[in-house]
């Protein structure tokens, strides 16, 4: 089997289990207010613009078909992409895992003679812990996406795929800027326009004086070797066009076969993610263009456990994800706990199926249970990833608590023996007569009924009904 993501590097594993982290998050009333406000707003906006598209179901089906085809011939498409990028003047590097990817990027930055890089918002570089690796090598990474900048200045962790500082409100952002942004006006208010202007002033100097940029990629077209980054602020475009050297770190699943395929995803992504009809900034580049934009382009193709995901016929759907975050915004669990509780940089429903597969289920065993299996994520996903089915599939692989395993073994033993099963049914009926509906189970099973009603046994079992006839 292909290797999973290595331990000790990157941000795919939390320090504690989901239930422990979620319990703490649930006690933070401010966090819950921030999350409820943000997810409710995005949901409403996204729902309204999706309703305008008459062929939304067909677009979703097309996206699923393209991604399924891509995964079926991923090695072939990646080699096609490598050839096209190389032919256009770029250099392709293959990174088996986070350690290798961090080493490649660090060496490239050093070779360019730089001690600072500007970064376009990227989940892949967060996944591998690139900022920490660069800092360890004496290279300063500067996040240029506004939300990522807030997270970086606040010495914080992202909690949402698309809106990494979703857990912060305006007042908290103002405090972070006053504390950590060099040269900020002490009279700064918490008006969004004022905060954005302060960030703009801070970043302008970086854009004009930094010679190396690091980005991720939303899509890479195998046919043409074209990379695409979609974003809302334009800061990404500054990073992609101003520096002398551009290094793009991309998960291998981001490749799509043809230029034509882009039209499907560029319609789905903005409406499902930010609730916009069209993405404000869509930057595309193919290798190097003499005299225009970066004159050195490096593409780092990152595996870091993805081949292991691909090897699982049920779980591989998780690689179809286009990181729109629609599943987070509709998830009742995410809305209450926020992203930090998931431990990994990939939170919410997609994180609950992607992180355990990238690391191996044992290292993120509680995440497949971070769901009520309500199916809202499946309904919202623009590429139709059946997240509930993958959750159930992964739960079967996760180690189970001893009490649960013993209960299931006892149930299996009983169901295998008709006389014993009938006796158990009679006992259940007697217990119903003995007490009111909703009474809890005794310890150690009381935890299960602490938040659930015990199902009421039917007045007549099937066996009794059958015997009467
Ligand atoms: S799983 Fe689907 S809904 Fe969730 S982030 Fe990925 S593409 Fe979007």
């Amino acid at each position: 089997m292909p290797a999973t993501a290595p331990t000790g590097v990157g941000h795919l594993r939390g320090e504690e289990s989901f239930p422990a982290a979620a319990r703490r998050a649930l006690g933070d009333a401010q966090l819950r207010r921030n999350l409820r406000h943000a997810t409710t707003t995005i949901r409403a906006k996204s729902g309204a613009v999706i309703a305008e598209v008459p062929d939304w179901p067909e677009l979703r089906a097309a996206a699923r078909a393209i991604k399924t085809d891509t995964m079926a011939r991923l090695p072939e498409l990646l080699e096609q992409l490598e050839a096209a990028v190389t032919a256009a003047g770029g250099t392709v590097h293959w990174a088996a895992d986070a350690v290798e990817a961090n080493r490649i990027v660090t060496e490239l930055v050093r070779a360019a003679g730089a001690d600072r890089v500007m970064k376009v918002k990227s989940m892949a570089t967060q996944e591998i812990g690139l900022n920490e690796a660069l800092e360890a090598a004496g290279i300063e990474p500067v996040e240029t996406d506004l939300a990522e900048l807030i997270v970086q200045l606040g010495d914080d962790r992202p909690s949402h795929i698309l809106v990494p500082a979703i857990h912060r409100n305006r007042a908290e952002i103002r405090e972070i800027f006053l504390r950590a942004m060099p040269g900020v006006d002490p009279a700064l208010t918490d008006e969004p326009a004022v905060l954005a202007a302060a960030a703009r002033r801070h970043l302008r100097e970086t854009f004009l004086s930094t010679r190396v940029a690091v980005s991720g990629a939303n899509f890479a077209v195998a046919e043409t070797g074209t990379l695409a980054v979609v974003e809302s602020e334009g800061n990404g475009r500054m990073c992609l066009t101003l520096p002398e050297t551009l290094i793009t770190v991309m998960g291998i699943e981001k490749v799509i076969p043809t230029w034509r395929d882009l039209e499907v995803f560029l319609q789905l992504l903005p409406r499902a993610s930010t609730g916009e009809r069209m993405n404000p900034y869509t930057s595309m580049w193919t290798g190097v263009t003499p005299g225009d934009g970066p004159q050195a382009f490096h593409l780092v193709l990152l595996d870091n456990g993805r081949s292991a995901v691909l090897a699982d016929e049920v779980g591989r759907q998780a690689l179809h994800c286009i990181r729109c975050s629609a599943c987070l915004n509709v998830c009742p669990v995410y809305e209450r706990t926020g992203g930090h509780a998931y431990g990994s940089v990939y939170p919410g429903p997609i994180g609950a199926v992607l992180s355990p597969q990238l690391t191996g289920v044992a290292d993120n065993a509680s995440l497949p249970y971070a769901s009520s299996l309500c199916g809202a994520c499946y309904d919202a996903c623009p590429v139709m990833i059946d997240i509930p089915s993958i959750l159930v599939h992964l739960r079967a692989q996760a180690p189970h608590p001893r009490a649960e395993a013993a209960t299931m073994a006892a149930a299996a033993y009983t169901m295998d023996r008709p006389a014993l099963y009938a006796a158990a049914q009679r006992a259940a009926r007697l217990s119903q007569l003995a007490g009111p509906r909703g009474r809890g189970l005794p310890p150690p099973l009381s935890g299960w009924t602490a938040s659930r009603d015990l199902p009421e046994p039917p007045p007549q079992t099937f066996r009794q009904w059958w015997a009467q006839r």
Side-chain angles (χ1 to χ4, degrees):
M1 281 292 289
T4 50
T7 53
V9 58
H11 301 286
L12 286 172
R13 298 167 174 86
E15 280 164 12
E16 53 189 349
S17 69
F18 180 82
R23 197 164 294 128
R24 211 181 27 261
L26 287 170
D28 185 339
Q30 181 65 56
L31 173 74
R32 293 179 64 176
R33 263 196 301 277
N34 294 354
L35 284 167
R36 192 168 49 243
H37 173 71
T39 53
T40 310
T41 308
I42 301 175
R43 268 203 310 267
K45 214 175 145 198
S46 173
V49 292
I50 286 174
E52 296 171 353
V53 184
D55 61 346
W56 188 256
E58 288 79 9
L59 279 170
R60 291 177 80 209
R64 173 148 82 170
I66 293 167
K67 285 289 185 179
T68 304
D69 169 50
T70 302
M71 294 311 144
R73 51 195 185 100
L74 192 57
E76 168 198 326
L77 290 170
L78 288 170
E79 285 178 11
Q80 192 186 356
L81 174 69
E82 179 185 31
V85 170
T86 308
T91 308
V92 176
H93 310 258
W94 297 78
D97 57 30
V99 177
E100 212 175 340
N102 287 335
R103 181 180 51 72
I104 291 169
V105 176
T106 306
E107 285 174 3
L108 288 171
V109 177
R110 280 206 184 115
D115 58 8
R116 181 165 67 162
V117 298
M118 50 183 170
K119 288 188 68 212
V120 185
K121 179 179 166 351
S122 142
M123 295 305 297
T125 59
Q126 299 227 355
E127 172 189 324
I128 61 175
L130 180 64
N131 285 7
E132 290 86 341
L134 290 173
E135 281 164 2
I139 299 163
E140 181 196 3
V142 183
E143 295 290 350
T144 63
D145 175 84
L146 178 56
E148 290 286 4
L149 180 68
I150 294 165
V151 168
Q152 189 179 35
L153 292 177
D155 207 11
D156 200 355
R157 288 182 297 135
S159 65
H160 189 275
I161 291 175
L162 204 72
V163 198
I166 198 170
H167 55 291
R168 298 288 190 195
N169 62 20
R170 287 163 21 182
E172 291 172 305
I173 294 167
R174 174 179 170 269
E175 275 169 33
I176 291 169
F177 279 13
L178 285 174
R179 195 173 61 235
M181 186 178 276
V184 74
D185 180 357
L188 187 77
T189 69
D190 65 4
E191 282 303 304
V194 175
L195 294 171
R200 194 174 299 127
R201 266 193 302 279
H202 170 71
L203 289 172
R204 186 156 298 162
E205 202 278 320
T206 305
F207 288 137
L208 295 174
S209 61
T210 309
R211 291 184 292 121
V212 178
V214 176
S215 84
N218 290 95
F219 307 101
V221 182
E223 180 183 52
T224 60
T226 305
L227 277 292
V229 162
V230 298
E231 38 118 18
S232 299
E233 298 170 2
N235 293 349
R237 179 166 291 173
M238 302 278 255
C239 292
L240 297 167
T241 52
L242 287 173
E244 293 161 16
T245 301
L246 173 61
I247 305 165
T248 298
V249 182
M250 184 192 99
I252 51 174
E253 80 280 21
K254 292 298 168 78
V255 67
I256 54 172
T258 69
W259 178 264
R260 182 87 200 262
D261 296 329
L262 262 181
E263 75 179 39
V264 173
F265 296 105
L266 292 182
Q267 289 179 78
L268 289 168
L269 185 53
R271 289 179 194 256
S273 57
T274 47
E276 287 160 311
R277 294 190 177 92
M278 192 182 163
N279 205 67
Y281 292 88
T282 302
S283 302
M284 298 192 219
W285 68 100
T286 308
V288 172
T289 305
D292 183 14
Q295 294 301 291
F297 170 56
H298 297 270
L299 174 62
V300 182
L301 294 173
L302 174 72
D303 190 312
N304 207 35
R306 285 161 175 78
S307 292
V309 184
L310 186 68
D312 185 322
E313 283 183 21
V314 178
R316 74 167 58 140
Q317 275 188 74
L319 297 178
H320 296 188
C321 176
I322 56 172
R323 310 278 188 265
C324 73
S325 74
C327 58
L328 278 65
N329 299 332
V330 298
C331 178
V333 176
Y334 176 87
E335 186 175 316
R336 281 154 185 83
T337 64
H340 290 161
Y342 293 77
S344 160
V345 290
Y346 299 112
I350 183 60
V353 294
L354 186 58
S355 308
Q357 293 195 85
L358 290 174
T359 62
V361 177
D363 281 12
N364 267 311
S366 62
L367 286 186
Y369 292 92
S371 167
S372 64
L373 298 181
C374 69
C377 47
Y378 188 15
D379 290 343
C381 178
V383 293
M384 298 175 79
I385 300 174
D386 184 357
I387 293 176
S389 292
I390 310 176
L391 286 167
V392 173
H393 175 67
L394 296 177
R395 285 181 187 187
Q397 297 170 32
H400 293 269
R402 231 180 274 155
E404 185 189 325
T407 308
M408 289 301 160
Y413 184 87
T414 308
M415 288 175 178
D416 248 5
R417 290 161 180 78
L420 196 56
Y421 186 65
Q425 284 183 321
R426 281 196 298 276
R429 177 94 187 107
L430 282 176
S431 77
Q432 184 205 17
L433 294 175
R437 183 177 185 272
R439 211 168 63 151
L441 288 166
L445 304 174
S446 49
W448 195 85
T449 48
S451 54
R452 302 170 178 87
D453 283 346
L454 195 58
E456 194 175 357
Q460 187 182 38
T461 67
F462 173 76
R463 283 154 186 273
Q464 289 164 340
W465 177 87
W466 185 258
Q468 279 174 7
R469 285 159 180 79

